[in-house]
Amino acid sequence: TLDHGDNDIVPLDLPSERDLGPLDGILGASAARTEALFGHLAGGASDAEIESKAFPDCRYISCKRLGLSFRLRSGRVDVAFLYSEGADGFSAYIAGPLPLGLSWSDKARDVVQRLGEPSDKFGGGRLPIGISFETL
C-alpha cells in the first residue's frame, strides 16, 4: 500500500521484475524469509517490533517502525504494503525506492496519471480518499 502525504492509500501488488531495492523478489517469499528481511532492514535493532496477525484466509506480518507490511496467502507473500509517516501508526517506508517511479509527494491524481485507472476508489467526506490497484 502506498499512503501518500495526503493520506491516500494505494495497495499495490508489486511485480518482481521492477526495481524494488530490498523488496526485490519478496513476492512468493515464505514467512521466515519475510521476518528475516525485517531483521535485515532494521539492522538487528531490538525496537523493530514485528507484528503478526492471522485470519482464516491470510496472515499479515508488519513492522511499523519500518513502514512495511506483507500479506501472506497459503504461506507466501502476495502483497506488500508501504506506508508514509503516520499512516495507521506506521513510520515512513524509507528502505528503498517506491515502486513504479512513485513518490510520497504524489497525489491520487498523479498516481492515476502514471498507472491508469484504479480498480477501486474509496473514502470521501471525513475519510481520506484512497485508490487501489489489484494488479500492476
PDB file of all heavy atoms in Angstrom, residues 27-53:
ATOM      1  N   LEU A  27       7.836 -11.126  -3.382  1.00  0.00           N
ATOM      2  CA  LEU A  27       6.582 -11.804  -3.717  1.00  0.00           C
ATOM      3  C   LEU A  27       6.834 -13.298  -3.849  1.00  0.00           C
ATOM      4  O   LEU A  27       7.781 -13.725  -4.503  1.00  0.00           O
ATOM      5  CB  LEU A  27       5.984 -11.257  -5.010  1.00  0.00           C
ATOM      6  CG  LEU A  27       5.416  -9.853  -4.926  1.00  0.00           C
ATOM      7  CD1 LEU A  27       4.806  -9.451  -6.263  1.00  0.00           C
ATOM      8  CD2 LEU A  27       4.378  -9.729  -3.834  1.00  0.00           C
ATOM      9  N   GLY A  28       6.016 -14.082  -3.180  1.00  0.00           N
ATOM     10  CA  GLY A  28       6.184 -15.530  -3.167  1.00  0.00           C
ATOM     11  C   GLY A  28       7.072 -16.028  -2.041  1.00  0.00           C
ATOM     12  O   GLY A  28       7.231 -17.231  -1.860  1.00  0.00           O
ATOM     13  N   ALA A  29       7.636 -15.106  -1.263  1.00  0.00           N
ATOM     14  CA  ALA A  29       8.535 -15.498  -0.178  1.00  0.00           C
ATOM     15  C   ALA A  29       7.758 -16.096   0.988  1.00  0.00           C
ATOM     16  O   ALA A  29       6.592 -15.808   1.206  1.00  0.00           O
ATOM     17  CB  ALA A  29       9.336 -14.283   0.305  1.00  0.00           C
ATOM     18  N   SER A  30       8.438 -16.908   1.773  1.00  0.00           N
ATOM     19  CA  SER A  30       7.854 -17.536   2.957  1.00  0.00           C
ATOM     20  C   SER A  30       7.822 -16.542   4.120  1.00  0.00           C
ATOM     21  O   SER A  30       8.470 -15.497   4.090  1.00  0.00           O
ATOM     22  CB  SER A  30       8.698 -18.741   3.370  1.00  0.00           C
ATOM     23  OG  SER A  30       9.972 -18.295   3.824  1.00  0.00           O
ATOM     24  N   ALA A  31       7.100 -16.901   5.170  1.00  0.00           N
ATOM     25  CA  ALA A  31       7.048 -16.075   6.379  1.00  0.00           C
ATOM     26  C   ALA A  31       8.442 -15.937   6.983  1.00  0.00           C
ATOM     27  O   ALA A  31       8.821 -14.846   7.434  1.00  0.00           O
ATOM     28  CB  ALA A  31       6.077 -16.676   7.386  1.00  0.00           C
ATOM     29  N   ALA A  32       9.223 -16.992   6.991  1.00  0.00           N
ATOM     30  CA  ALA A  32      10.571 -16.938   7.563  1.00  0.00           C
ATOM     31  C   ALA A  32      11.440 -15.953   6.795  1.00  0.00           C
ATOM     32  O   ALA A  32      12.183 -15.168   7.404  1.00  0.00           O
ATOM     33  CB  ALA A  32      11.202 -18.328   7.554  1.00  0.00           C
ATOM     34  N   ARG A  33      11.359 -15.967   5.479  1.00  0.00           N
ATOM     35  CA  ARG A  33      12.147 -15.024   4.677  1.00  0.00           C
ATOM     36  C   ARG A  33      11.686 -13.597   4.925  1.00  0.00           C
ATOM     37  O   ARG A  33      12.489 -12.668   4.976  1.00  0.00           O
ATOM     38  CB  ARG A  33      12.061 -15.369   3.193  1.00  0.00           C
ATOM     39  CG  ARG A  33      12.869 -14.412   2.356  1.00  0.00           C
ATOM     40  CD  ARG A  33      13.251 -14.974   1.000  1.00  0.00           C
ATOM     41  NE  ARG A  33      13.958 -13.948   0.261  1.00  0.00           N
ATOM     42  CZ  ARG A  33      13.498 -13.354  -0.816  1.00  0.00           C
ATOM     43  NH1 ARG A  33      12.342 -13.708  -1.327  1.00  0.00           N
ATOM     44  NH2 ARG A  33      14.193 -12.425  -1.425  1.00  0.00           N
ATOM     45  N   THR A  34      10.372 -13.418   5.075  1.00  0.00           N
ATOM     46  CA  THR A  34       9.816 -12.095   5.346  1.00  0.00           C
ATOM     47  C   THR A  34      10.339 -11.560   6.672  1.00  0.00           C
ATOM     48  O   THR A  34      10.786 -10.415   6.767  1.00  0.00           O
ATOM     49  CB  THR A  34       8.278 -12.165   5.363  1.00  0.00           C
ATOM     50  OG1 THR A  34       7.832 -12.674   4.106  1.00  0.00           O
ATOM     51  CG2 THR A  34       7.657 -10.829   5.605  1.00  0.00           C
ATOM     52  N   GLU A  35      10.317 -12.371   7.697  1.00  0.00           N
ATOM     53  CA  GLU A  35      10.805 -11.956   9.007  1.00  0.00           C
ATOM     54  C   GLU A  35      12.307 -11.687   8.971  1.00  0.00           C
ATOM     55  O   GLU A  35      12.796 -10.758   9.619  1.00  0.00           O
ATOM     56  CB  GLU A  35      10.424 -12.989  10.054  1.00  0.00           C
ATOM     57  CG  GLU A  35       8.924 -12.998  10.302  1.00  0.00           C
ATOM     58  CD  GLU A  35       8.439 -14.142  11.174  1.00  0.00           C
ATOM     59  OE1 GLU A  35       9.262 -14.952  11.640  1.00  0.00           O
ATOM     60  OE2 GLU A  35       7.213 -14.221  11.382  1.00  0.00           O
ATOM     61  N   ALA A  36      13.047 -12.473   8.189  1.00  0.00           N
ATOM     62  CA  ALA A  36      14.482 -12.235   8.039  1.00  0.00           C
ATOM     63  C   ALA A  36      14.728 -10.894   7.349  1.00  0.00           C
ATOM     64  O   ALA A  36      15.656 -10.159   7.716  1.00  0.00           O
ATOM     65  CB  ALA A  36      15.131 -13.371   7.252  1.00  0.00           C
ATOM     66  N   LEU A  37      13.888 -10.550   6.361  1.00  0.00           N
ATOM     67  CA  LEU A  37      14.016  -9.263   5.693  1.00  0.00           C
ATOM     68  C   LEU A  37      13.787  -8.119   6.673  1.00  0.00           C
ATOM     69  O   LEU A  37      14.540  -7.146   6.692  1.00  0.00           O
ATOM     70  CB  LEU A  37      13.039  -9.149   4.523  1.00  0.00           C
ATOM     71  CG  LEU A  37      13.021  -7.787   3.822  1.00  0.00           C
ATOM     72  CD1 LEU A  37      14.362  -7.487   3.156  1.00  0.00           C
ATOM     73  CD2 LEU A  37      11.893  -7.738   2.800  1.00  0.00           C
ATOM     74  N   PHE A  38      12.773  -8.243   7.522  1.00  0.00           N
ATOM     75  CA  PHE A  38      12.533  -7.221   8.544  1.00  0.00           C
ATOM     76  C   PHE A  38      13.772  -7.055   9.424  1.00  0.00           C
ATOM     77  O   PHE A  38      14.193  -5.938   9.720  1.00  0.00           O
ATOM     78  CB  PHE A  38      11.324  -7.567   9.418  1.00  0.00           C
ATOM     79  CG  PHE A  38       9.999  -7.229   8.806  1.00  0.00           C
ATOM     80  CD1 PHE A  38       8.973  -8.143   8.836  1.00  0.00           C
ATOM     81  CD2 PHE A  38       9.760  -5.987   8.238  1.00  0.00           C
ATOM     82  CE1 PHE A  38       7.734  -7.839   8.291  1.00  0.00           C
ATOM     83  CE2 PHE A  38       8.524  -5.672   7.699  1.00  0.00           C
ATOM     84  CZ  PHE A  38       7.506  -6.601   7.714  1.00  0.00           C
ATOM     85  N   GLY A  39      14.346  -8.153   9.864  1.00  0.00           N
ATOM     86  CA  GLY A  39      15.545  -8.087  10.696  1.00  0.00           C
ATOM     87  C   GLY A  39      16.696  -7.406   9.987  1.00  0.00           C
ATOM     88  O   GLY A  39      17.401  -6.571  10.567  1.00  0.00           O
ATOM     89  N   HIS A  40      16.871  -7.719   8.718  1.00  0.00           N
ATOM     90  CA  HIS A  40      17.937  -7.108   7.918  1.00  0.00           C
ATOM     91  C   HIS A  40      17.715  -5.607   7.775  1.00  0.00           C
ATOM     92  O   HIS A  40      18.631  -4.809   7.977  1.00  0.00           O
ATOM     93  CB  HIS A  40      18.012  -7.780   6.551  1.00  0.00           C
ATOM     94  CG  HIS A  40      18.918  -7.091   5.593  1.00  0.00           C
ATOM     95  ND1 HIS A  40      20.289  -7.165   5.690  1.00  0.00           N
ATOM     96  CD2 HIS A  40      18.647  -6.296   4.518  1.00  0.00           C
ATOM     97  CE1 HIS A  40      20.828  -6.444   4.713  1.00  0.00           C
ATOM     98  NE2 HIS A  40      19.851  -5.908   3.998  1.00  0.00           N
ATOM     99  N   LEU A  41      16.480  -5.219   7.409  1.00  0.00           N
ATOM    100  CA  LEU A  41      16.174  -3.803   7.207  1.00  0.00           C
ATOM    101  C   LEU A  41      16.284  -3.006   8.510  1.00  0.00           C
ATOM    102  O   LEU A  41      16.626  -1.831   8.489  1.00  0.00           O
ATOM    103  CB  LEU A  41      14.777  -3.626   6.604  1.00  0.00           C
ATOM    104  CG  LEU A  41      14.597  -4.136   5.186  1.00  0.00           C
ATOM    105  CD1 LEU A  41      13.149  -3.986   4.755  1.00  0.00           C
ATOM    106  CD2 LEU A  41      15.532  -3.413   4.224  1.00  0.00           C
ATOM    107  N   ALA A  42      15.994  -3.640   9.624  1.00  0.00           N
ATOM    108  CA  ALA A  42      16.077  -2.970  10.925  1.00  0.00           C
ATOM    109  C   ALA A  42      17.505  -2.954  11.457  1.00  0.00           C
ATOM    110  O   ALA A  42      17.762  -2.369  12.503  1.00  0.00           O
ATOM    111  CB  ALA A  42      15.151  -3.653  11.928  1.00  0.00           C
ATOM    112  N   GLY A  43      18.419  -3.599  10.762  1.00  0.00           N
ATOM    113  CA  GLY A  43      19.807  -3.638  11.217  1.00  0.00           C
ATOM    114  C   GLY A  43      19.968  -4.373  12.530  1.00  0.00           C
ATOM    115  O   GLY A  43      20.852  -4.073  13.309  1.00  0.00           O
ATOM    116  N   GLY A  44      19.051  -5.321  12.794  1.00  0.00           N
ATOM    117  CA  GLY A  44      19.109  -6.091  14.029  1.00  0.00           C
ATOM    118  C   GLY A  44      18.641  -5.318  15.245  1.00  0.00           C
ATOM    119  O   GLY A  44      18.805  -5.778  16.369  1.00  0.00           O
ATOM    120  N   ALA A  45      18.047  -4.140  15.029  1.00  0.00           N
ATOM    121  CA  ALA A  45      17.594  -3.310  16.151  1.00  0.00           C
ATOM    122  C   ALA A  45      16.482  -4.000  16.921  1.00  0.00           C
ATOM    123  O   ALA A  45      15.569  -4.558  16.349  1.00  0.00           O
ATOM    124  CB  ALA A  45      17.109  -1.953  15.644  1.00  0.00           C
ATOM    125  N   SER A  46      16.576  -3.942  18.231  1.00  0.00           N
ATOM    126  CA  SER A  46      15.576  -4.609  19.068  1.00  0.00           C
ATOM    127  C   SER A  46      14.250  -3.855  19.117  1.00  0.00           C
ATOM    128  O   SER A  46      13.237  -4.418  19.517  1.00  0.00           O
ATOM    129  CB  SER A  46      16.117  -4.787  20.485  1.00  0.00           C
ATOM    130  OG  SER A  46      16.398  -3.515  21.052  1.00  0.00           O
ATOM    131  N   ASP A  47      14.245  -2.571  18.703  1.00  0.00           N
ATOM    132  CA  ASP A  47      12.990  -1.809  18.739  1.00  0.00           C
ATOM    133  C   ASP A  47      12.152  -2.011  17.485  1.00  0.00           C
ATOM    134  O   ASP A  47      11.100  -1.412  17.342  1.00  0.00           O
ATOM    135  CB  ASP A  47      13.251  -0.328  18.983  1.00  0.00           C
ATOM    136  CG  ASP A  47      14.008   0.349  17.855  1.00  0.00           C
ATOM    137  OD1 ASP A  47      14.657  -0.361  17.058  1.00  0.00           O
ATOM    138  OD2 ASP A  47      13.953   1.589  17.778  1.00  0.00           O
ATOM    139  N   ALA A  48      12.590  -2.847  16.563  1.00  0.00           N
ATOM    140  CA  ALA A  48      11.835  -3.136  15.344  1.00  0.00           C
ATOM    141  C   ALA A  48      10.866  -4.271  15.626  1.00  0.00           C
ATOM    142  O   ALA A  48      11.096  -5.413  15.248  1.00  0.00           O
ATOM    143  CB  ALA A  48      12.778  -3.490  14.205  1.00  0.00           C
ATOM    144  N   GLU A  49       9.805  -3.960  16.331  1.00  0.00           N
ATOM    145  CA  GLU A  49       8.829  -4.978  16.698  1.00  0.00           C
ATOM    146  C   GLU A  49       8.098  -5.492  15.468  1.00  0.00           C
ATOM    147  O   GLU A  49       7.530  -4.716  14.717  1.00  0.00           O
ATOM    148  CB  GLU A  49       7.820  -4.414  17.691  1.00  0.00           C
ATOM    149  CG  GLU A  49       8.432  -4.037  19.013  1.00  0.00           C
ATOM    150  CD  GLU A  49       7.405  -3.467  19.975  1.00  0.00           C
ATOM    151  OE1 GLU A  49       6.215  -3.794  19.852  1.00  0.00           O
ATOM    152  OE2 GLU A  49       7.815  -2.678  20.836  1.00  0.00           O
ATOM    153  N   ILE A  50       8.116  -6.791  15.308  1.00  0.00           N
ATOM    154  CA  ILE A  50       7.416  -7.425  14.196  1.00  0.00           C
ATOM    155  C   ILE A  50       6.096  -7.947  14.725  1.00  0.00           C
ATOM    156  O   ILE A  50       6.058  -8.683  15.712  1.00  0.00           O
ATOM    157  CB  ILE A  50       8.263  -8.559  13.589  1.00  0.00           C
ATOM    158  CG1 ILE A  50       9.560  -7.984  13.018  1.00  0.00           C
ATOM    159  CG2 ILE A  50       7.468  -9.287  12.516  1.00  0.00           C
ATOM    160  CD1 ILE A  50      10.547  -9.026  12.573  1.00  0.00           C
ATOM    161  N   GLU A  51       5.012  -7.537  14.087  1.00  0.00           N
ATOM    162  CA  GLU A  51       3.677  -7.960  14.480  1.00  0.00           C
ATOM    163  C   GLU A  51       3.146  -8.945  13.458  1.00  0.00           C
ATOM    164  O   GLU A  51       3.405  -8.823  12.272  1.00  0.00           O
ATOM    165  CB  GLU A  51       2.734  -6.756  14.545  1.00  0.00           C
ATOM    166  CG  GLU A  51       3.164  -5.691  15.523  1.00  0.00           C
ATOM    167  CD  GLU A  51       2.281  -4.454  15.456  1.00  0.00           C
ATOM    168  OE1 GLU A  51       1.178  -4.527  14.870  1.00  0.00           O
ATOM    169  OE2 GLU A  51       2.697  -3.422  15.980  1.00  0.00           O
ATOM    170  N   SER A  52       2.393  -9.901  13.937  1.00  0.00           N
ATOM    171  CA  SER A  52       1.779 -10.889  13.054  1.00  0.00           C
ATOM    172  C   SER A  52       0.317 -11.050  13.436  1.00  0.00           C
ATOM    173  O   SER A  52       0.005 -11.182  14.629  1.00  0.00           O
ATOM    174  CB  SER A  52       2.515 -12.223  13.184  1.00  0.00           C
ATOM    175  OG  SER A  52       1.939 -13.179  12.327  1.00  0.00           O
ATOM    176  N   LYS A  53      -0.549 -11.001  12.449  1.00  0.00           N
ATOM    177  CA  LYS A  53      -1.977 -11.205  12.671  1.00  0.00           C
ATOM    178  C   LYS A  53      -2.469 -12.231  11.674  1.00  0.00           C
ATOM    179  O   LYS A  53      -2.267 -12.081  10.474  1.00  0.00           O
ATOM    180  CB  LYS A  53      -2.757  -9.901  12.498  1.00  0.00           C
ATOM    181  CG  LYS A  53      -2.433  -8.870  13.547  1.00  0.00           C
ATOM    182  CD  LYS A  53      -3.279  -7.628  13.380  1.00  0.00           C
ATOM    183  CE  LYS A  53      -2.894  -6.595  14.423  1.00  0.00           C
ATOM    184  NZ  LYS A  53      -3.625  -5.349  14.268  1.00  0.00           N
TER     185      LYS A  53
END
